[in-house]
Amino acid sequence: MSTQPKNTPCELCASRKYSMFADLSEQQVCTISDHKNLISHRKGQILYYEGTKPLGIFCINAGVVKVYKIASNGKEQIVHLAQKGDFLGYAALLGEENYTNSAMIVEDAKICFIPKEAFLNTLLSNTQFFKRVTKQLSHELGVMEEKLTDATQKSIRERLAYVLLHLASTYGIEGGDNHKIDLVLSREEIASIVGTATESIIRLLSEFKKDNLIELDGKKIIIKDKRGLARLSDFYA
Amino acid sequence: MSTQPKNTPCELCASRKYSMFADLSEQQVCTISDHKNLISHRKGQILYYEGTKPLGIFCINAGVVKVYKIASNGKEQIVHLAQKGDFLGYAALLGEENYTNSAMIVEDAKICFIPKEAFLNTLLSNTQFFKRVTKQLSHELGVMEEKLTDATQKSIRERLAYVLLHLASTYGIEGGDNHKIDLVLSREEIASIVGTATESIIRLLSEFKKDNLIELDGKKIIIKDKRGLARLSDFYA
DNA sequence: AATCTTCTATGATTTTAATCAGTCTTTTTT
DNA sequence: AAAAAAGACTGATTAAAATCATAGAAGATT
């Protein structure tokens, strides 16, 4: 992992305003900044592996990271896609356990590593920040419970429709009525998000395309009929 | 909900040592205790509903509570079974959002309600306690990610075997080689934990019984072959 | 440019689990 | 005690999704 100590300081970081650092005082941001390292950032690079010991947290400045678990059958389940402003690995740190998941860069990224001590010191000396982090953690727990419920109670078709809408709202770029998902994911990765076989995703995407719900622009997906997907995603919504 | 203010004080509560209150100072426990109410406690009673505003947290002194979500198809997914020493509802409080799930008593229970202010004040004035709560929250997030991965990547048979082993380790009472799960759950509730149809659970339990993995004692399940279930629960373990 | 590899796509088949239908049993209510 | 309701169970059928097999397309490598 190539590291370039003290690259862009956090004070000047553009993605800070999207992050949990947004409310830190200038002084505290500087303390963090003094200890951080910018690490690189190529697609496919691993930030950490499940089962290893966390030594700090990762703060995403740019790019996209998939957080995933490998099931006992060897298949990958993506539990979260993280982007600029997101923190990674703090749950393991705060839970005082080894990483319970792994993280890999899926879109070239700039990521800062903040050592455990710097992060925890800031946390403990700044209750507001501690509350902010805990708030995020609580929110993520609710999201995960929702995903579990969807996984057991919804069909693959419904889940894919939902995932596409969600990706569009997070990575979408406008184009009139259309929303292009500005993120390249392989069919296999989409399958890992939905939690199904790659072939099922390929088939369903073909079906969605045939039904004029989506359109394909190279590797990227364009949402043509948001309302239609929303209807598909949830029978009762 | 019948309330009997200031029943057993927290200082003397037997389930405290199992809870996150275990490390609070005597004085802090008393402060909490002065504000708490013992609420009742019949099977079927609801503690809170998804979507409503949390006004405090619940601390289970005895009994069992299911925490669940209702999916859009109307079916219930149990995300957690809570027992003595467990706290409920703090994630919503700390996440500053409405409850993202509901809680219902499944085994007659004694439960204390601690108002929001008393809980948050203690939390903010005692960093150790705050850390303890955050640790728990982080841990639960990891557990939920594991459940999601199991739900998408394992078969119903594997998941049921795993759930039985887990229930045995939590609610099991010894009897030589056998572990009796000392908790009455309907087939429908087991289905809600595993995330499947009731009929599937009934069929699989019959199969497990036929294969001498379990035995039924009235409504309770006795694990006869832990190793066999473990093998079934995870092809690669 | 040719070759190799990975990814996408489609068809056929099998497996898994849901749904539907009905019976028997247990529990609750009257 | 009888009736009603809820829960447990079994079988048949349908539906959903996984798996297997193969082919074509796109990217990467030499």
Side-chain angles (χ1 to χ4, degrees), chain B residues 18 29 53 62 74 76 85 106 116 151 153 190 193 219 224:
Chain B
Y18 305 108
V29 172
K53 190 179 167 190
E76 168 186 299
V106 292
K116 181 177 167 164
Q153 306 293 353
I190 298 176
I193 298 173
K219 286 239 166 198
K224 289 185 70 181

Side-chain angles (χ1 to χ4, degrees), chain A residues 42-56:
Chain A
R42 282 310 220 139
K43 184 171 173 165
Q45 193 178 323
I46 301 278
L47 293 185
Y48 57 81
Y49 283 104
E50 179 170 356
T52 63
K53 191 179 166 187
L55 301 173

